[in-house]
Amino acid sequence: MLKQINRQQREERILLSLKKCDYLTRSQLQVMHGLGSARNASRVMQQLGEYVSSFRDSEAVFYLNREGRERVGAKKVRKKSTTAQHYIMRNAVYIAFGCPATWRNEMRLGVKGKVNVICDAYFVRDKRYHIIEVDNTQKMTKNRSKVERYRKLISLGVFEQPPQFIWMTTTDYRRKQLLALCEGLDVKVFTAKDFI
């Protein structure tokens, strides 16, 4: 009986993680939920087959299917998608920073009528915003525009204290470009391989 309750609680936690994160790889689920070996994690996810769908992108990537969305009250419909890598990169940052309770995905920051930015995610720690941006296939001109809008928000006093920017990108070359764009800001730029 207790084993059954524990299993149901674990399933619920995994489904809620998928609701929050949209897409998670098998290895990300292993870390987040202490699923042990790759084999055990695969077994657990197979048991959740009624509620999740998956596809391969160097490893299994899971997302909620209709039954899973109904079970946890998720509204967003996710399918197999080429944009899933964007979410997986964002979720790597989420996990690396300890799955903060204040984490919010795709939020609008700004001053009405003046300037606003939709960040990929943010969390607040010690009254300080940590703004996450994922640069997967984005053109650098779009990144430049976003950084300029963030600078404007800072100058307008939107933040109690200057935020820390956390970028996730694909290559060391792009890391250097982002560091140059963000000169003078508190910024950390990671590549996907930093989290392997």
Side-chain angles (χ1 to χ4, degrees):
M1 182 72 165
L2 186 60
K3 195 173 186 179
Q4 181 66 21
I5 291 170
N6 287 342
R7 180 179 165 184
Q8 287 174 340
Q9 288 174 340
R10 179 180 65 192
E11 286 179 356
E12 198 76 15
R13 285 192 305 268
I14 291 170
L15 295 174
L16 288 170
S17 292
L18 287 165
K19 176 183 177 181
K20 182 176 190 81
C21 296
D22 300 303
Y23 298 92
L24 287 164
T25 64
R26 185 222 4 102
S27 58
Q28 288 175 331
L29 286 161
Q30 270 178 269
V31 172
M32 289 175 76
H33 296 285
L35 299 179
S37 69
R39 184 176 176 175
N40 186 59
S42 296
R43 182 186 57 78
V44 168
M45 294 312 294
Q46 192 172 28
Q47 290 170 348
L48 279 168
E50 179 183 349
Y51 303 107
V52 299
S53 295
S54 67
F55 61 91
R56 290 205 58 83
D57 184 8
S58 73
E59 70 174 311
V61 176
F62 295 92
Y63 58 96
L64 295 173
N65 61 23
R66 186 168 46 84
E67 290 80 9
R69 290 192 306 274
E70 286 172 6
R71 181 167 168 185
V72 294
K75 302 283 186 257
K76 286 186 261 173
V77 176
R78 297 294 180 208
K79 303 269 187 209
K80 179 180 178 181
S81 169
T82 56
T83 61
Q85 191 58 39
H86 178 89
Y87 296 95
I88 291 165
M89 289 170 70
R90 181 192 67 200
N91 296 336
V93 176
Y94 174 65
I95 294 165
F97 281 83
C99 304
T102 57
W103 184 277
R104 300 292 177 268
N105 292 326
E106 298 171 17
M107 297 300 293
R108 182 181 305 275
L109 303 170
V111 177
K112 196 169 185 163
K114 292 195 177 182
V115 63
N116 66 62
V117 183
I118 297 175
C119 62
D120 288 321
Y122 76 76
F123 65 95
V124 179
R125 193 173 277 163
D126 299 324
K127 296 183 182 178
R128 185 176 191 206
Y129 276 80
H130 295 72
I131 298 171
I132 290 75
E133 289 293 343
V134 175
D135 169 53
N136 184 23
T137 57
Q138 187 116 292
K139 291 192 183 319
M140 204 50 73
T141 54
K142 283 200 171 201
N143 291 332
R144 182 175 291 109
S145 169
K146 234 178 188 181
V147 170
E148 286 169 7
R149 285 181 280 153
Y150 281 127
R151 288 183 193 278
K152 188 158 187 165
L153 290 178
I154 292 167
S155 70
L156 290 169
V158 169
F159 304 102
E160 208 172 295
Q161 52 183 303
Q164 179 179 62
F165 294 92
I166 302 162
W167 286 80
M168 171 70 103
T169 190
T170 52
T171 65
D172 285 325
Y173 177 71
R174 290 185 75 83
R175 179 199 316 243
K176 287 174 188 161
Q177 287 182 302
L178 289 166
L179 284 168
L181 276 180
C182 296
E183 191 175 335
L185 299 172
D186 183 1
V187 65
K188 291 181 179 178
V189 183
F190 299 99
T191 62
K193 67 183 178 196
D194 292 331
F195 295 100
I196 294 174

